[in-house]
Amino acid sequence: MSRIGILGAGAFGTALAIALARAGHEVALWARDAGAVAAMRETRQSPRLPGARLPEGMHPTASIAEASATETLLLAVPMQALAPLLRENATLFRQKTLVACCKGIDLESGLPPHRIIARDAPEASPALLSGPSFADDIAAGLPTALTIAAADEARAEALQRELSTPVLRLYRSTDLEGVAAGGALKNVIAIACGVVIGAGLGESARAALLTRGFAEMRRYAEAQGAQAETLAGLSGLGDLALTCTSEKSRNFAFGKRLGAAGRAETLATTEGIATARAVAARARAAGLEMPITELVAALVDGRVSVAEAAERLLSRPLRPE
């Protein structure tokens, strides 16, 4: 078994650390808060995953240099925190494989995670880990399947072997663009589906929105050079199905509150908000038709009401499927 570093001690990073340590890896989990690290070491518990015990092979640390003393680093920080982390530590990340576990689009640049890595840590090798998963399921040892993607087939296969466990099954891909697009846009569609349920528009409307949202995901991904079949896999349709139908999804839950009340508190971990804004801007510039994404961006910015958004979608011209 190998030694693996994970940067980011939120729920997902901690859950991955637990799963990999249980499988026999030595895992260093980095958190900025030294007090939280000390508490995790003492109690073998994480405040982000109540009830989940930290295995002995998992080592919380407040030293990013200590956590990064591995060949493979999992970056489990929020999407909008990825670029600053890379810029601050580019020297530390030289010659490493950096696996981005965040899903979304950088609001400042409009770039997905692997392209942020290529830009800000050019001497590292970018990879992506994405797919339908909730942190508490992974921490509980429940069966989960994800996609691991790297541009090089041999590197993707090596990561697949290294990071798979008896209950965390990884499927490999070389389509970084498709995996990134699926992971990002499913959050936008999840917000839209939450709005539908929160506004009382019904399950049939959610199914329709999920389906048309999937069409938007494919359209956008293919425009980025992705393979259409990638969007039909775990990192596309699989993740979309999970996040659009579960109350455990932060994006769906945010949308549901927005649909019910017309407004909702914005949390940094609701990645679909920034992604909707970034993708809507890129789609407009490229002449891509993304009506659901456009309306989600308008809703979260308060430019349209829920009723106006529904009317706009329902009044669109009839067309072939």
Side-chain angles (χ1 to χ4, degrees):
M1 293 294 179
S2 59
R3 189 170 187 273
I4 297 168
I6 299 178
L7 305 185
F12 194 68
T14 303
L16 288 173
I18 290 171
L20 292 168
R22 281 185 186 144
H25 295 282
E26 290 293 316
V27 182
L29 177 68
W30 172 75
R32 291 184 184 274
D33 186 341
V37 167
M40 283 191 284
R41 285 177 172 173
E42 181 179 352
T43 65
R44 305 308 296 174
Q45 300 281 332
S46 166
R48 303 303 298 272
L49 287 171
R53 181 159 183 81
L54 309 185
E56 291 306 314
M58 178 181 160
H59 309 290
T61 178
S63 167
I64 195 168
E66 178 185 343
S68 301
T70 63
E71 292 185 11
T72 302
L73 268 177
L74 276 59
L75 309 182
V77 297
M79 181 63 217
Q80 305 309 316
L82 180 62
L85 176 74
L86 293 166
R87 287 195 293 264
E88 291 167 11
N89 300 281
T91 302
L92 196 61
F93 297 157
R94 285 176 179 166
Q95 310 305 317
K96 300 189 184 296
T97 297
L98 301 181
V99 183
C101 304
C102 45
K103 303 170 183 178
I105 302 292
D106 181 63
L107 189 54
E108 181 182 346
S109 65
L111 295 175
H114 63 289
R115 293 197 176 275
I116 294 288
I117 293 171
R119 184 194 68 183
D120 293 336
E123 295 182 60
S125 298
L128 297 174
L129 182 66
S130 191
S133 55
F134 288 136
D136 54 355
D137 288 347
I138 293 174
L142 299 177
T144 304
L146 300 173
T147 299
I148 184 73
D152 178 70
E153 172 72 23
R155 189 178 298 276
E157 186 173 0
L159 287 169
Q160 181 185 36
R161 288 196 305 268
E162 181 180 19
L163 301 177
S164 290
T165 79
V167 290
L168 185 61
R169 182 177 178 84
L170 303 189
Y171 289 80
R172 68 180 181 271
S173 172
T174 57
D175 183 11
L176 285 163
E177 297 297 341
V179 171
L185 281 168
K186 61 89 184 180
N187 285 330
V188 178
I189 308 307
I191 291 175
C193 286
V195 169
V196 164
I197 297 302
L201 300 179
E203 298 286 354
S204 298
R206 170 165 55 180
L209 197 61
L210 190 157
T211 306
R212 297 314 304 160
F214 180 61
E216 278 195 24
M217 287 170 59
R218 288 187 56 171
R219 191 181 310 131
Y220 181 83
E222 288 177 25
Q224 308 307 308
Q227 302 164 18
E229 56 267 30
T230 302
L231 275 294
L234 289 165
S235 58
L237 182 59
D239 214 353
L240 181 70
L242 181 68
T243 54
C244 289
T245 58
S246 175
E247 299 279 351
K248 290 164 65 175
S249 162
R250 290 186 296 265
N251 291 279
F252 176 81
F254 169 81
K256 187 175 178 182
R257 294 193 301 272
L258 183 61
R263 58 185 177 83
E265 181 185 359
T266 300
L267 303 176
T269 49
T270 310
E271 299 282 16
I273 297 171
T275 299
R277 292 168 175 151
V279 171
R282 294 194 77 183
R284 284 194 297 271
L288 282 176
E289 195 176 17
M290 305 276 287
I292 297 172
T293 302
E294 284 277 7
L295 283 172
V296 169
L299 271 172
V300 298
D301 288 340
R303 290 184 278 117
V304 298
S305 67
V306 172
E308 289 168 335
E311 182 181 357
R312 287 191 193 182
L313 284 178
L314 291 171
S315 63
R316 286 175 55 79
L318 298 176
R319 53 182 291 178
E321 188 171 32

